Amino acid sequence: GSGLYVKGLTDGFHDVPPPDPVLRAQLNELSLAQLVCQLQETNPELAARVDLRNRRRVMRALEIASSGKNRPSREWNGVAAAGIGSGEISAAETGVATRAAKPQSEGGVLLIRDRDDLCGRINDRVYAMFRADVEEEVRALTEIGSTAAHALGLRQLQRFIAGEIPRDECIAQIQQATRRYAKRQLTWFRHQSNFPQLNLTPFSHQEAVSAILQMAQRHLARE
């Protein structure tokens, strides 16, 4: 997601092979079990590092394996670069530097908030979604792609529309799922970026903008 885009800008891009439309069309004809079996036979080491429950990641791993750029992680950290890892690989194995291992950079700013402030904003945002008739938007959907199907709140809204859960429970579940996602995002950025942090909670909008501009100006003045 957006975190990997930021990492591409700050750390550069890796030698990851491009998608293969012909191979991808062939792989789309196979079941997940068949894809996993093929990957395990083709490259057991790569298969051990991939989330085998995720069809899209298994297919991408097969593309990488077929390209010949499937060397061990100590030589090539393509699993991490391609975003297909199982989440169980350490930074040391993949060669991805953590924030503690790199000097702090002022090329960006990691914006954070106090926990209560952030959770309150998330809860308010979900209430605002329902005031804007988000359930009607979901009812109007005629087709949902595989990526969009994992959108935060969609599963809960579908259960609410189907009459499986009441509105209040739907709202509470979406709020909880969003808070958990925000926590994972913050953990990821703290470990994978080396930006200085700025807590927005004490600041007004204009004060926060001024603080960010000052940090950027200091960085540019040193270049």
Side-chain angles (χ1 to χ4, degrees):
S2 56
L4 290 177
Y5 293 136
V6 172
K7 194 160 184 64
L9 290 172
T10 58
D11 292 5
F13 294 96
H14 300 274
D15 185 20
V16 181
D20 184 337
V22 175
L23 176 59
R24 187 163 292 189
Q26 296 171 351
L27 296 177
N28 268 324
E29 300 297 322
L30 303 178
S31 67
L32 176 59
Q34 290 173 317
L35 292 170
V36 170
C37 183
Q38 184 173 329
L39 179 60
Q40 290 172 333
E41 291 177 354
T42 304
N43 192 315
E45 181 184 359
L46 187 56
R49 298 174 179 273
V50 172
D51 180 359
L52 298 179
R53 297 167 299 180
N54 188 311
R55 178 183 179 87
R56 184 172 55 182
R57 294 186 178 187
V58 174
M59 288 177 59
R60 184 68 181 119
L62 280 167
E63 288 181 334
I64 293 171
S66 67
S67 73
K69 294 182 177 180
N70 51 348
R71 292 168 290 179
S73 62
R74 293 185 186 277
E75 301 177 34
W76 178 68
N77 57 353
V79 171
I84 60 174
S86 64
E88 299 174 353
I89 309 170
S90 69
E93 287 180 299
T94 60
V96 177
T98 63
R99 189 166 65 93
K102 298 190 292 184
Q104 191 175 75
S105 167
E106 293 191 6
V109 180
L110 177 57
L111 303 178
I112 63 174
R113 289 186 179 274
D114 289 345
R115 184 178 183 279
D116 289 345
D117 180 20
L118 178 61
C119 290
R121 285 172 171 267
I122 289 172
N123 292 342
D124 290 344
R125 181 177 180 274
V126 176
Y127 286 131
M129 288 167 52
F130 276 81
R131 288 195 298 270
D133 294 327
V134 66
E135 62 265 40
E136 295 305 320
E137 292 184 28
V138 175
R139 282 194 177 97
L141 293 175
T142 56
E143 184 176 342
I144 302 175
S146 58
T147 300
H150 296 286
L152 274 174
L154 179 59
R155 179 174 57 84
Q156 292 86 351
L157 279 161
Q158 289 173 327
R159 294 188 63 202
F160 165 58
I161 292 170
E164 297 176 7
I165 57 175
R167 180 188 177 95
D168 288 348
E169 184 176 344
C170 177
I171 292 174
Q173 287 185 9
I174 294 175
Q175 289 171 330
Q176 183 183 57
T178 308
R179 291 193 301 268
R180 288 175 174 172
Y181 183 72
K183 182 179 179 180
R184 292 196 300 272
Q185 279 189 319
L186 184 57
T187 298
W188 193 95
F189 276 105
R190 279 176 168 162
H191 285 281
Q192 298 297 335
S193 76
N194 59 335
F195 297 145
Q197 297 183 13
L198 177 64
N199 188 339
L200 297 179
T201 296
F203 298 118
S204 67
H205 175 76
Q206 190 55 50
E207 289 171 339
V209 171
S210 297
I212 293 170
L213 287 175
Q214 289 174 12
M215 296 171 76
Q217 288 167 354
R218 287 198 300 269
H219 171 69
L220 292 173
R222 286 197 290 269
E223 289 191 339

